[in-house]
Amino acid sequence: MATAAHTLQPLSQLSAAVSEWVNSVRELTQPRAVRWCEGTDAEARELTALLLSRGELTALNPEFFPGCHLYRSAPNDVARVEHLTYICTRSQEDAGPNNHWMDPQQAHARMRELFRGCMRERTLYVIPYCMGPLDSPLSRCGVEITDSPYVVLNMLIMTRAGRAALERIAIERTFVRGLHSIGELDPERRFIMHFPEELAIESYGSGYGGNALLGKKCHALRIASWQARKESWLAEHMLIVGLQSPRGETHYLACAFPSACGKTNLAMLIPPASLPGWRVFTVGDDIAWLHPGADGRLWAINPEAGYFGVVPGTNPQTNRNAYEMIRRDTLFTNVALTADSQPWWEGLPSGVPVLDWQGRPYDPARGPAAHPNSRFTVSARRNPSYSPHAEDARGVPISALVFGGRRREVAPLVYEARDWQHGVLVGASLASETTAAAVGQVGVTRRDPMAMQPFCGYNFGDYWQHWLDVGARLARPPPIYHVNWFRRDANGKFLWPGYGENLRVLTWMIERCAGRVGAAESAIGRLPRPEDLNLRGLDLEPQALGALLAVDPALWRKEIVELREYLGRYGKHLPAALLAELGITEQRLG
Ligand code: SAT
Ligand code: MN
């Protein structure tokens, strides 16, 4: 039976620890009002109305995009800012060479000055949230304080936010404290600080997703990776997808790819017509929390409740599920508009943009109409391929782990690691071309171990050791694969069609797990022979397949030299086992 609203205890009285913290933030930031978020639909509607009345949201064409809105960010606030993102641990070594570091006291002092009085004409919103299903022991809670109603709207979609989360916090008595203000949206006064030892986040000066929706990268990856190490689990930048074979068996894969490299598309993949009988179910599209289970397998939950996905390129060919999903109840950020107020982005088969992402008359000379990192925020429940097990409290069992990068050469289409220890090296070796998801140059190849370069909350050397330790505790560790959908020929043309056709590679992995298909040994791991891949109905030149499955010893020897140099930066934190694995590969290359 529903509880009558008047009998509900005010949120501000549910947890003394949360209330004390809110009071101290209120004193510091001096807001005009404080609003505790219940997490109801009515609340989301009210916030939407507020932003519409302020002209900060635009309602999209209700006939074609019912319940959808457009938000335009400040033009200088469109992506994550890795150069302004810090891990603030007492010892710099704990943050590692992979992170920017600041002394916690110094960072707090700096942030206090930024936060002082920053909410004067604004409302302070308190968002209690739970990352993961509310009834799952694997979930973790937090509270975000923000002065941005846009951030609140996003958090209501992306997390289980509101009363139920606060009730859980009141019982658990532990939560991540995330303080956020958009400040002046001045890139000179912008910092994203993490204090893993205090389970705290302080973010100032940006309203953009990864900088401002603190449950996402800041909590569910940077802080959670630290918690996971202490508690013997893994917090990873991975999608989780279930593949049901024509025999009716379902296998779940967790796949790590850097930002804007197709995680959402893979998680929602539509099987090609020539692979009948396969079905695909999405559990998550960005983050996986992996826990060793009593049965010796890894079990995964998706801590998020929605998707914050890249819009450009989404169309019925690349991702029909996403294309359908974002036609209703979706918050768009930084897309273009047509004359009849439909959202428009590069890659759509029809429509004409009249206003670009900044709301200016569209002029191709000024670049793309939609920002390359324009995003949709939408509830996972809108996903036509949403897994019926996505909200299972115990998670789903993982059959295989997959690492992938965006590389025009070197890495073949797919290979299988020799074992877990080698798989950790394969993950640690990940390299990928940079994308528009972060501020900076696009298309530069950089090391991005486990796709966690921007997101690991501590020293990568210790993180790799933690991976080795978790694997050693698993009686049934999943096999580990590496994929590269982005290999190109000498003319720069992609060799592999990607999207739905990627299922052909995933089905090889699943058949491998069941011992039903072969592979050939190579110096870097096991690769499918052409006959091991189901290529029925695929229009692929034989020489393309040869190139996709080629391992060039000269390029790989160079890769090993670069990798040894890179790993060497982690000094005494680098697990010797990884160097040993590197030595084995090197020896096999001859
Ligand atoms: O902006 S987010 O960090 O949320 C998306 C991404 O870069 O993966
Ligand atoms: Mn991501």
Side-chain angles (χ1 to χ4, degrees):
M1 210 168 58
T3 321
H6 65 271
T7 64
L8 288 178
Q9 207 179 349
L11 288 173
S12 57
Q13 290 174 14
L14 279 185
S15 158
V18 174
S19 296
E20 264 169 42
W21 178 56
V22 169
N23 284 338
S24 69
V25 172
R26 184 173 52 184
E27 272 169 31
L28 175 67
T29 58
Q30 300 284 311
R32 186 185 51 191
V34 173
R35 169 100 186 238
W36 292 69
C37 297
E38 290 276 358
T40 59
D41 290 346
E43 188 173 72
R45 279 196 299 272
E46 198 189 314
L47 285 165
T48 303
L50 173 76
L51 285 173
L52 283 167
S53 72
R54 286 197 203 160
E56 291 179 35
L57 273 190
T58 306
L60 296 174
N61 186 310
E63 187 185 341
F64 300 109
F65 287 85
C68 294
H69 297 89
L70 165 65
Y71 177 83
R72 292 193 187 102
S73 77
N76 64 18
D77 186 31
V78 294
R80 281 183 293 101
V81 282
E82 294 179 8
H83 59 297
L84 302 173
T85 299
Y86 286 79
I87 299 295
C88 309
T89 42
R90 284 191 298 268
S91 152
Q92 179 165 7
E93 246 185 282
D94 286 339
N98 45 305
N99 282 303
H100 299 297
W101 174 85
M102 200 182 289
D103 170 75
Q105 280 187 7
Q106 193 192 338
H108 280 310
R110 204 152 177 176
M111 296 306 277
R112 223 174 0 257
E113 287 323 303
L114 292 173
F115 281 119
R116 195 181 299 287
C118 73
M119 298 190 188
R120 262 199 188 100
E121 298 306 315
R122 302 177 186 165
T123 297
L124 178 159
Y125 296 91
V126 183
I127 317 163
Y129 62 85
C130 180
M131 299 311 291
L134 279 157
D135 61 348
S136 171
L138 312 181
S139 301
R140 296 287 182 274
C141 292
V143 177
E144 173 163 0
I145 292 179
T146 180
D147 55 8
S148 161
Y150 164 76
V151 165
V152 181
L153 271 183
N154 276 278
M155 286 291 286
L156 291 176
I157 299 170
M158 295 302 296
T159 71
R160 280 95 174 165
R163 178 171 292 271
L166 191 55
E167 282 167 351
R168 182 169 163 155
I169 290 171
I171 295 165
E172 285 186 339
R173 290 160 173 265
T174 173
F175 63 100
V176 171
R177 289 155 203 247
L179 173 54
H180 169 256
S181 169
I182 53 170
E184 306 83 23
L185 293 175
D186 175 357
E188 299 298 320
R189 288 164 58 81
R190 183 175 289 167
F191 283 109
I192 325 293
M193 303 283 196
H194 303 75
F195 306 87
E197 290 149 330
E198 303 164 34
L199 300 187
I201 305 156
E202 294 177 4
S203 166
Y204 188 92
S206 167
Y208 170 76
N211 304 330
L213 315 180
L214 301 186
K216 195 173 178 54
K217 308 297 184 171
C218 301
H219 176 163
L221 287 175
R222 299 197 189 95
I223 299 288
S225 60
W226 178 281
Q227 287 181 298
R229 182 178 174 220
K230 285 218 307 226
E231 302 169 6
S232 293
W233 50 281
L234 297 165
E236 299 300 323
H237 193 205
M238 291 177 169
L239 66 92
I240 309 162
V241 66
L243 305 177
Q244 188 185 330
S245 75
R247 298 164 191 260
E249 291 168 11
T250 302
H251 286 271
Y252 294 93
L253 308 183
C255 314
F257 297 87
S259 302
C261 287
K263 280 197 299 301
T264 306
N265 290 338
L266 192 66
M268 301 176 70
L269 181 148
I270 298 198
S274 50
L275 288 186
W278 285 90
R279 296 188 64 193
V280 174
F281 298 98
T282 316
V283 177
D285 83 325
D286 195 39
I287 300 177
W289 285 357
L290 304 160
H291 288 255
D295 61 356
R297 291 189 289 178
L298 269 182
W299 290 73
I301 61 162
N302 169 16
E304 300 191 279
Y307 310 126
F308 183 67
V310 177
V311 181
T314 305
N315 65 46
Q317 271 68 50
T318 57
N319 189 341
R320 181 160 37 82
N321 277 334
Y323 182 73
E324 299 298 340
M325 173 175 74
I326 61 178
R327 299 186 82 79
R328 184 181 277 275
D329 299 332
T330 299
L331 178 52
F332 289 89
T333 300
N334 290 340
V335 293
L337 269 189
T338 64
D340 63 348
S341 292
Q342 295 194 52
W344 193 92
W345 55 88
E346 277 67 20
L348 272 188
S350 60
V352 178
V354 295
L355 295 182
D356 72 8
W357 63 277
Q358 297 187 54
R360 305 173 301 188
Y362 173 54
D363 174 358
R366 285 198 285 231
H371 189 277
N373 194 37
S374 52
R375 297 271 169 168
F376 57 74
T377 319
V378 64
S379 166
R381 288 165 194 256
R382 292 261 324 120
N383 176 359
S385 61
Y386 195 46
S387 166
H389 297 291
E391 318 232 0
D392 283 5
R394 63 181 188 160
V396 294
I398 294 299
S399 296
L401 298 177
V402 183
F403 294 114
R406 186 186 277 273
R407 291 199 80 176
R408 40 186 74 226
E409 51 182 16
V410 186
L413 178 63
V414 58
Y415 63 100
E416 180 183 83
R418 297 185 283 266
D419 54 22
W420 180 275
Q421 184 165 298
H422 178 226
V424 175
L425 175 70
V426 169
S429 324
L430 210 67
S432 194
E433 293 158 28
T434 50
T435 68
V439 168
Q441 220 185 337
V442 169
V444 186
T445 302
R446 69 163 181 182
R447 293 279 156 208
D448 192 349
M450 278 79 170
M452 285 285 278
Q453 169 53 44
F455 306 122
C456 183
Y458 62 103
N459 190 316
F460 260 151
D462 300 333
Y463 168 79
W464 297 321
Q465 185 59 54
H466 178 53
W467 262 82
L468 294 169
D469 294 344
V470 168
R473 284 186 41 222
L474 292 173
R476 297 156 72 187
I480 297 179
Y481 293 88
H482 185 284
V483 299
N484 178 18
W485 316 132
F486 301 93
R487 187 123 167 197
R488 306 210 199 192
D489 68 12
N491 301 318
K493 200 172 145 258
F494 287 112
L495 285 163
W496 180 250
Y499 302 110
E501 307 296 350
N502 292 338
L503 182 60
R504 298 173 192 278
V505 175
L506 305 185
T507 60
W508 175 70
M509 295 173 189
I510 285 171
E511 297 295 317
R512 291 283 301 155
C513 293
R516 284 195 286 259
V517 69
E521 291 289 342
S522 89
I524 63 168
R526 299 179 203 101
L527 274 79
R529 298 160 300 182
E531 65 268 30
D532 295 323
L533 287 174
N534 182 347
L535 300 175
R536 206 172 314 126
L538 179 68
D539 188 14
L540 194 70
E541 315 252 327
Q543 64 267 37
L545 189 62
L548 281 163
L549 297 177
V551 176
D552 180 331
L555 281 181
W556 272 93
R557 273 194 291 271
K558 188 163 161 273
E559 179 81 5
I560 300 264
V561 170
E562 286 171 15
L563 199 53
R564 181 166 284 124
E565 190 275 320
Y566 170 74
L567 295 175
R569 291 183 213 165
Y570 293 87
K572 67 179 189 343
H573 291 263
L574 177 68
L578 292 196
L579 283 180
E581 288 296 332
L582 196 67
I584 295 173
T585 303
E586 190 170 36
Q587 217 170 24
R588 291 185 173 202
L589 281 165

